[in-house]
Amino acid sequence: IGRAENANLSIPTDSKASREHAQIVCKNNKYKLMDLNSTNGTFLNQKKLDPKVLYPLKYKDIFCVGKTFIGFLYSNKKKKEIK
């Protein structure tokens, strides 16, 4: 995730985002977010992340890359289980 054109999620117009700002990693069907030592930091639910540390992502989490807010809306649960 970042300003780079070749990023899987490119936000080229966000001047506060680094070229390679953050990354989402999936292992065992669990998603985690990591700041890639960005200049302005990555925020998960308004808390600044330490660089190069994986943080679990949950359904409806909001993270911020530069000035861009992104909602995490993936869940492997059935609709009835999501609250």
Side-chain angles (χ1 to χ4, degrees):
I1 304 168
R3 274 192 356 257
E5 288 182 22
N6 64 340
N8 289 327
L9 179 55
S10 180
I11 43 177
T13 59
D14 188 339
S15 62
K16 297 293 182 182
S18 297
R19 285 189 176 101
E20 294 181 353
H21 196 106
Q23 181 176 23
I24 295 176
V25 177
C26 180
K27 284 189 177 181
N28 300 323
N29 211 25
K30 296 186 186 220
Y31 289 83
K32 297 184 179 187
L33 177 66
M34 180 171 57
D35 177 79
L36 299 176
N37 206 23
S38 64
T39 301
N40 293 309
T42 302
F43 294 80
L44 177 58
N45 299 323
Q46 300 180 338
K47 295 179 184 172
K48 188 172 184 179
L49 304 184
D50 292 324
K52 302 290 185 177
V53 176
L54 289 169
Y55 291 84
L57 280 171
K58 299 182 302 295
Y59 181 70
K60 292 190 177 180
D61 277 347
I62 304 288
F63 61 96
C64 182
V65 172
K67 297 182 286 184
T68 303
F69 288 85
I70 301 166
F72 186 74
L73 299 176
Y74 173 82
S75 177
N76 61 356
K77 296 180 180 180
K78 296 177 184 173
K79 278 187 176 183
K80 292 179 183 177
E81 297 175 18
I82 297 173
K83 295 183 180 182

